[in-house]
Amino acid sequence: MVEIRKPIQMAEAVERVMSHVHKLGTEMLLLEDTYGRVLAEPIIAKHDVPPFDRSPYDGFAIRAADSAGASGDARKSFQVIGEIGAGHVADRSIEEGESYRIMTGALIPEQADAVVMLEQTVENEKGFTLRKPFEAGENISRQGEDAKKGERLVEAGTVIHPGTIALLATFGYSQVRVAKRPIAGVLSTGTELLDVADGLVPGKIRNSNGPMIRAQLTRMGVESKSYGMMEDDLDACTEIVERALQETDFLITTGGVSVGDYDYLPAIYERLGAEVLFNKVAMRPGSVTTVAVLGEKLLFGLSGNPSACFTGFELFTRPAILSMMGCTAPFMPRIQAKLGDDFKKANPFTRFVRASWSMTSEGIVATPAGFNKSSAVSSIARGNCIIVLPSGTRGFEKGMTVDVLLLGAEQGVERWEL
Amino acid sequence: MVEIRKPIQMAEAVERVMSHVHKLGTEMLLLEDTYGRVLAEPIIAKHDVPPFDRSPYDGFAIRAADSAGASGDARKSFQVIGEIGAGHVADRSIEEGESYRIMTGALIPEQADAVVMLEQTVENEKGFTLRKPFEAGENISRQGEDAKKGERLVEAGTVIHPGTIALLATFGYSQVRVAKRPIAGVLSTGTELLDVADGLVPGKIRNSNGPMIRAQLTRMGVESKSYGMMEDDLDACTEIVERALQETDFLITTGGVSVGDYDYLPAIYERLGAEVLFNKVAMRPGSVTTVAVLGEKLLFGLSGNPSACFTGFELFTRPAILSMMGCTAPFMPRIQAKLGDDFKKANPFTRFVRASWSMTSEGIVATPAGFNKSSAVSSIARGNCIIVLPSGTRGFEKGMTVDVLLLGAEQGVERWEL
């Protein structure tokens, strides 16, 4: 007797996974090690940026009032009383008719309130002359114009990218509190699987899901432990899963979640007392994708079909991992594009089509990456995005507008919208 | 006397840099270490994928001809002569009226040419009955339907992502020939600079460019050596640059490329005999961006202003690094978006505005990330893209269509188009 599973909708499946995410703790890291981590605390400006009025150019710092009335016929003269290099400070404030030679980034001396660019002057023995008046504040980078002390600049839950690091450096964060990263367990099932280094034999194929999933984790900076390929024995399998759950923060299995005689995962979930959140999703590929939870740990039972496995990871596992780290925008960013090719298959379920997008003279075009069965592997290699075709449709024609999820993007979005 | 530099256009500047890139060699890596590397050889299918006709479902393998004429009133009976698990092969071929129970992924036995899904059968003691005829080939994943032996599937010069790894695993590449990665030298100049851990003092700011650039390199998987912050002495500086060039594949300096009295880089290039490819680009921020070449090594003289430094790296250094590795699509991908805010500054030069894009009900909207002077640091932290505003324009209004370059994207494009 075949077990009949009732599919749930994608949005509901995503919600069930995300609501069972257990947040990891935090740790302090050296600034240089924080790229790709998630901020555990907001970045609040510790001081004004810039921290003082400074010169944006090489030039002369003057009192603007002293240039009043300057013209081509009545040039105003200024005496240069010294030089202020970047990082240095003036010996004294300036007085009427005086100026300092000042370098880019240097602190504006007291009483000065404008900077004259070199090319606006004619230099002479004692200093220079000007042919136009300057206004107070002209050519000055004002203290706090970029950020004010106490301003909340970046929220906790943000993934740290190079710009975030520049800001952290500005405020002197040589160490940064970030979310811990989870350690993933990866376990492939399937009696047909060979190791990558093995020669082909009839009826067998090499395990591509294991290396692929580990690369999907590497792309996120997440370490994984491989538990190899599962033996054809329910007791042994259960033991491996138990051990993996002790040693890691969550487990990804590939294969074994269908309703076939050798699909052990449902039995293992039952033996371990894991709560199955769903075992059928109204999606193609990967309708058999199963997610269970045991204590604080999620068990992602991805399909053994490569395309389904890949898609299941990106749709469920990736946002869950980011959420474990407190990331507030854990979902793939979406754009809209024109479909580059007919896609005539009907969609009783939401369909996720591996595709490649590019900018063309007709706008953004996303084209299915060739052979698109759930068992396909070549289309995963060729794709850089996933086209999402809603359920209940009879096929799509070239040129129609479709939703596209970007793979391998650094930014994310807060909500699952499809 | 101020040196007057003649700016060159962006496209010309990019072309000059790219034409001076020296390709690095190749190396063999374990498959699991190849994420983010560039393929040095194309992936050519070593065998058909799938390598044999297989069952896409759990079901029964039959000869389609034996089901001819089946109907609800005249069900056809099949005898089950055995079971084929995935990875196993049938003991013998089937004959008239026979079938095998077959698992997902298992090799179709000889003479069988269709698979009947479990839910399409009524099982009985000896086997099962069918109520409809099947066609030859029905429910069979055909050998080679995904890829044919000898097919060129992925070109050399492609960045390896998880899907590429799945394909490499499929063909048994436990080791992969990839391009070597360059080692970068990073050197910050500026007498106003403090280390990140230092307390602020009047006139000084912390070095944010160094950590930022190293993170931009980390994002690309490129290792860097830091040469700290340059001393205020031309001889010492020249020595550091010489040493850095010996120890690394290319050098990034920040600051010191302007025409000020303390801008040592032009003098250092001259002393070393480096050829300056350009020292003024018609772009904002970062018009002082300078690139020189000495032998096979590029010297990127980025601006000391954080936003200009960041942008210069992404526009020039990043594609050059990818090209060193043989990547054929080294440029940031472009999309078009609606401008989310007025941007009223005139653009005598091409302007690169740090911005944040998102999908809205009105399409993709890109909004400048706040304070946008070249010295800004907060806008780098807030941005996920760069809006490109062409030169010779008087400002842009909210809602206008603009070009946007995506930061931190895994895919690239082949040509600089702006």
Side-chain angles (χ1 to χ4, degrees), chain A residues 132-211:
Chain A
K132 76 172 200 76
F134 281 72
E135 282 173 37
E138 209 169 334
N139 291 336
I140 288 186
S141 286
R142 283 275 168 218
Q143 177 173 337
E145 68 179 4
D146 191 357
K148 293 253 182 280
K149 181 176 177 176
E151 210 178 316
R152 202 179 175 93
L153 295 171
V154 181
E155 295 298 327
T158 302
V159 176
I160 296 174
H161 62 69
T164 328
I165 286 176
L167 198 57
L168 288 163
T170 297
F171 295 121
Y173 288 88
S174 51
Q175 298 205 334
V176 186
R177 183 156 294 281
V178 300
K180 283 188 181 161
R181 267 181 174 156
I183 295 184
V186 177
L187 176 55
S188 299
T189 82
T191 44
E192 76 279 26
L193 296 182
L194 300 167
D195 263 322
V196 172
D198 293 339
L200 276 194
V201 294
K204 302 221 173 201
I205 59 170
R206 297 189 189 91
N207 175 20
S208 59
N209 287 332

Side-chain angles (χ1 to χ4, degrees), chain A residues 52 58 83 86 101 145-146 161 170-172 191 196 206 219 260-262 357 373 376-378 380-381 410-411, chain B residues 58 83 86 101 145-146 161 170-172 191 196 203 206 219 260-262 357 373 376-378 380-381 410-411:
Chain A
F52 46 83
D58 288 349
E83 179 176 297
R101 180 99 157 81
E145 68 179 4
D146 191 357
H161 62 69
T170 297
F171 295 121
T191 44
V196 172
R206 297 189 189 91
R219 167 152 77 182
D261 306 352
Y262 296 98
W357 75 269
K373 283 195 189 173
V377 65
S378 64
I380 321 173
E410 204 173 57
Q411 80 269 34
Chain B
D58 288 348
E83 182 176 293
R101 180 97 156 85
E145 68 178 5
D146 191 358
H161 62 69
T170 298
F171 294 121
T191 44
V196 173
R206 296 190 189 91
R219 167 152 76 180
D261 306 351
Y262 296 99
W357 75 269
K373 283 197 188 173
V377 64
S378 64
I380 322 173
E410 203 174 56
Q411 79 270 32

Side-chain angles (χ1 to χ4, degrees), chain A residues 53-278:
Chain A
D53 287 355
R54 67 186 178 191
S55 177
Y57 306 115
D58 288 349
F60 297 101
I62 62 167
R63 307 189 325 175
D66 297 347
S67 68
S71 71
D73 297 331
R75 302 188 68 98
K76 292 275 180 179
S77 286
F78 289 83
Q79 190 192 346
V80 177
I81 60 167
E83 179 176 297
I84 317 170
H88 296 276
V89 291
D91 301 327
R92 63 168 176 87
S93 60
I94 60 175
E95 297 185 8
E96 191 178 344
E98 291 183 340
S99 79
Y100 274 102
R101 180 99 157 81
I102 191 164
M103 303 302 155
T104 307
L107 186 151
I108 304 291
E110 275 181 58
Q111 301 302 324
D113 58 2
V115 169
V116 178
M117 293 164 74
L118 295 182
E119 45 273 50
Q120 296 170 317
T121 66
V122 173
E123 293 187 61
N124 58 31
E125 249 174 50
K126 286 196 160 174
F128 60 91
T129 63
L130 280 186
R131 52 174 285 172
K132 76 172 200 76
F134 281 72
E135 282 173 37
E138 209 169 334
N139 291 336
I140 288 186
S141 286
R142 283 275 168 218
Q143 177 173 337
E145 68 179 4
D146 191 357
K148 293 253 182 280
K149 181 176 177 176
E151 210 178 316
R152 202 179 175 93
L153 295 171
V154 181
E155 295 298 327
T158 302
V159 176
I160 296 174
H161 62 69
T164 328
I165 286 176
L167 198 57
L168 288 163
T170 297
F171 295 121
Y173 288 88
S174 51
Q175 298 205 334
V176 186
R177 183 156 294 281
V178 300
K180 283 188 181 161
R181 267 181 174 156
I183 295 184
V186 177
L187 176 55
S188 299
T189 82
T191 44
E192 76 279 26
L193 296 182
L194 300 167
D195 263 322
V196 172
D198 293 339
L200 276 194
V201 294
K204 302 221 173 201
I205 59 170
R206 297 189 189 91
N207 175 20
S208 59
N209 287 332
M212 176 181 74
I213 289 286
R214 298 189 74 190
Q216 285 172 291
L217 291 161
T218 300
R219 167 152 77 182
M220 302 181 67
V222 170
E223 256 183 76
S224 58
K225 288 190 183 178
S226 174
Y227 291 88
M229 294 184 293
M230 208 186 252
E231 292 165 50
D232 194 7
D233 173 292
L234 182 56
D235 289 334
C237 291
T238 309
E239 266 176 47
I240 295 173
V241 170
E242 276 190 301
R243 179 156 62 83
L245 279 173
Q246 280 161 15
E247 295 174 354
T248 63
D249 295 301
F250 66 96
L251 181 66
I252 300 169
T253 54
T254 68
V257 284
S258 202
V259 292
D261 306 352
Y262 296 98
D263 289 310
Y264 284 158
L265 266 304
I268 294 174
Y269 297 143
E270 203 178 319
R271 281 191 179 196
L272 296 179
E275 178 194 354
V276 173
L277 303 181
F278 52 81

Side-chain angles (χ1 to χ4, degrees), chain B residues 194-218:
Chain B
L194 300 167
D195 263 322
V196 173
D198 292 341
L200 275 193
V201 296
K204 302 220 174 202
I205 59 171
R206 296 190 189 91
N207 176 19
S208 59
N209 287 331
M212 177 181 72
I213 290 285
R214 297 189 76 189
Q216 284 171 292
L217 291 162
T218 300

Side-chain angles (χ1 to χ4, degrees), chain B residues 35 70 83 92 156 165 167 196 216 220 227-228 297 335 350 358-359 369:
Chain B
Y35 170 73
E83 182 176 293
R92 65 169 176 87
I165 286 176
L167 199 57
V196 173
Q216 284 171 292
M220 302 180 67
Y227 292 88
K297 296 184 179 177
I335 59 174
T350 305
S358 61
M359 186 72 204

